[in-house]
């Protein structure tokens, strides 16, 4: 009787199986690292969000929406002729903001409301023109003699509404520790850009409380952060002995840096002439508070906070000289993002190795 052939089954010895498993795991880790590197490079460029934006036009020009060609910044005549106000959407101490329309595009028209603050308005325009980049809202035109500025419209509005936006069904999928950490990276990228801008080291002075800080930034539809209000952006030149003071009134509260508070006690009345100036490290003091808001309270956000604990503690050093630079903070944020993405993708990798 003819014997039926048996199927051959190869059993690897335990040591050979372990070696094979380790090799496969290492290959997987290498591939994951390569993909992660490409992913982060694509999202951030070399500095969070790269200053050199390929979608930007040469100085004095802009393009909006799907249009490929660049147009020159709109002049007084073009703004008066082609821009139509729709409704007022905000008003601050310096300017009133109108949702407007230009050639079927939604745009934002800002106009000075207090003549006494025209220098602040013109300073903001100067900064807006000089700092055009991926970190700054896009300038579309301006009219100095009418104190008018035209900028790109972002329907999600300021960062103050982030949590409300993330509760809208359309955006609930964005409400993750990963996306929120990306926003924190964007925020620190803006601070780093201002501290090493083409104009020099700039301090974000309009930032005396969390709500005020958040109102200075816009949330884009693809969930990035742009700085929008540049009216109070003085220049620090440490080598030239030039420091700054954010306004001429006494600042109070734990949100502002210690060096921004009156140093001579309650018994001595505040006197702006006696108030010592300071540098850009005031921005560093505020980063942990802003990041804490951006991280929110979602699954995984406490793990992110734990990884950021040391760098945030360094930001809160009383001596400004002991605080890290915005670049050091940005580097740490990126490393934490890379580490946590890797661990999320391969939660058992460490134990297996």
């Amino acid at each position: 009787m003819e014997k039926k052939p048996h199927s051959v089954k190869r059993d690897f010895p335990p040591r050979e199986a372990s070696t094979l498993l380790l090799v496969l795991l290492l290959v997987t880790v290498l591939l994951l690292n390569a993909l992660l590197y490409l992913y982060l490079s694509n999202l951030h460029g070399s500095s969070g969000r790269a200053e050199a934006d390929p979608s930007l036009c040469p100085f004095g020009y802009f393009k909006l929406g799907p249009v490929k060609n660049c147009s020159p910044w709109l002049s007084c005549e073009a703004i008066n002729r082609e821009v139509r106000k729709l409704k007022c959407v905000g008003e601050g101490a310096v300017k009133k903001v109108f949702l407007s329309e230009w050639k079927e595009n939604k745009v934002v028209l800002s106009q000075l409301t207090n003549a006494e603050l025209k220098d602040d308005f013109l300073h903001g325009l100067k900064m807006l023109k000089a700092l055009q980049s991926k970190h700054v809202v896009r300038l579309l035109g301006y009219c100095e003699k009418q104190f008018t500025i035209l900028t790109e419209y972002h329907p999600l509005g300021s960062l103050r509404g982030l949590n409300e936006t993330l509760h809208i069904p359309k955006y609930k999928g964005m409400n993750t520790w990963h996306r929120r950490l990306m926003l924190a990276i964007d925020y620190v990228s803006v601070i780093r850009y201002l501290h090493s801008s083409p104009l020099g080291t700039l301090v974000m002075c309009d930032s005396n409380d969390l709500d005020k800080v958040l109102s200075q930034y816009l949330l884009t539809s693809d969930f990035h952060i742009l700085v929008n209000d540049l009216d109070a952006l003085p220049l620090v030149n440490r080598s030239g002995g030039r420091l700054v003071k954010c306004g001429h009134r006494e600042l109070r509260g734990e949100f502002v840096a210690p060096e921004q508070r009156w140093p001579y006690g309650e018994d001595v009345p505040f006197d702006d002439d006696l108030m010592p100036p300071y540098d850009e490290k005031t921005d560093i003091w505020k980063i942990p508070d802003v990041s804490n808001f951006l991280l929110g309270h979602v699954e995984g956000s406490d793990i992110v906070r734990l990884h950021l604990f040391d760098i945030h503690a360094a930001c809160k050093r009383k001596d400004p000289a002991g605080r890290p630079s915005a670049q050091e903070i940005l580097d740490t944020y990126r490393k934490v993002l890379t580490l946590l993405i890797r661990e999320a993708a391969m939660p058992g990798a460490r134990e297996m190795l």
Side-chain angles (χ1 to χ4, degrees), residues 254-326:
E254 293 298 314
F255 186 82
V256 296
E259 64 271 22
Q260 292 183 280
R261 302 172 211 153
W262 179 242
Y264 303 118
E266 295 289 338
D267 296 333
V268 181
F270 177 80
D271 185 340
D272 185 48
D273 292 333
L274 298 178
M275 180 67 199
Y278 33 83
D279 61 19
E280 77 280 2
K281 289 300 182 73
T282 58
D283 289 335
I284 301 300
W285 172 273
K286 299 160 188 172
I287 284 176
D289 299 285
V290 179
S291 288
N292 186 55
F293 168 82
L294 295 174
L295 290 173
H297 299 283
V298 296
E299 184 179 353
S301 63
D302 286 342
I303 300 297
V304 177
R305 287 185 179 88
L306 183 63
H307 282 277
L308 297 177
F309 179 85
D310 288 342
I311 193 70
H312 283 173
C315 292
K316 291 294 187 178
R317 287 173 182 153
K318 189 170 183 180
D319 179 10
R323 295 173 204 155
S325 67

Side-chain angles (χ1 to χ4, degrees), residues 89 99 106-108 152-158 161 165 168 170-171 218-222:
V89 291
L99 175 62
K106 294 287 194 304
V107 293
V108 174
E152 189 174 16
Y153 171 63
H154 293 280
L156 296 184
S158 80
T165 296
I168 297 173
K170 179 180 177 181
Y171 297 110
L218 294 171
L219 180 64
T220 67
S221 296
D222 60 347

Side-chain angles (χ1 to χ4, degrees), residues 313-334:
C315 292
K316 291 294 187 178
R317 287 173 182 153
K318 189 170 183 180
D319 179 10
R323 295 173 204 155
S325 67
Q327 182 65 63
E328 290 172 316
I329 301 168
L330 185 58
D331 290 342
T332 301
Y333 276 38
R334 290 183 191 147

Side-chain angles (χ1 to χ4, degrees), residues 225-239:
I225 291 176
L226 300 174
V227 63
N228 180 51
D229 196 331
L230 304 174
D231 294 346
L233 210 61
L235 180 68
V236 167
N237 184 349
R238 197 176 292 100
S239 61

Side-chain angles (χ1 to χ4, degrees), residues 181-213:
L181 179 54
M182 294 283 288
L183 289 175
I185 288 173
D186 264 3
Y187 168 69
V188 177
S189 295
V190 173
I191 299 299
R192 189 208 64 84
Y193 176 63
L194 295 178
H195 287 184
S196 57
S197 82
L199 300 177
T201 301
L202 299 167
V203 182
M204 195 69 179
C205 259
D206 223 350
S207 57
N208 298 334
D209 58 65
L210 178 61
D211 194 62
K212 187 63 174 175
V213 171

Side-chain angles (χ1 to χ4, degrees), residues 103-159:
K103 293 186 176 180
E104 299 183 353
N105 293 291
K106 294 287 194 304
V107 293
V108 174
L109 189 72
S110 302
Q111 292 184 316
L112 178 68
T113 54
N114 187 344
E116 294 179 359
L117 298 175
K118 65 180 182 180
D119 289 341
D120 292 338
F121 184 90
L122 293 175
H123 176 74
L125 173 58
K126 177 185 175 182
M127 294 294 104
L128 194 54
K129 289 194 289 185
L131 298 175
Q132 285 295 289
S133 69
K134 289 190 75 170
H135 303 291
V136 179
V137 69
R138 188 167 301 170
L139 178 64
L140 310 180
Y142 63 92
C143 180
E144 283 194 37
K145 64 184 180 183
Q146 294 177 1
F147 297 100
T148 299
I149 299 174
L150 193 70
T151 53
E152 189 174 16
Y153 171 63
H154 293 280
L156 296 184
S158 80
L159 270 184

Side-chain angles (χ1 to χ4, degrees), residues 36-71:
L36 185 60
Y37 173 80
L38 292 172
Y39 169 69
L40 294 174
S41 298
N42 183 54
L43 281 173
H44 297 298
S46 60
S47 59
R49 295 184 73 205
E51 280 75 43
D53 181 355
S55 70
L56 290 177
C57 297
F59 183 81
Y61 290 78
F62 73 93
K63 57 183 175 180
L64 201 58
V67 178
K68 293 183 179 180
N69 297 326
C70 294
S71 302

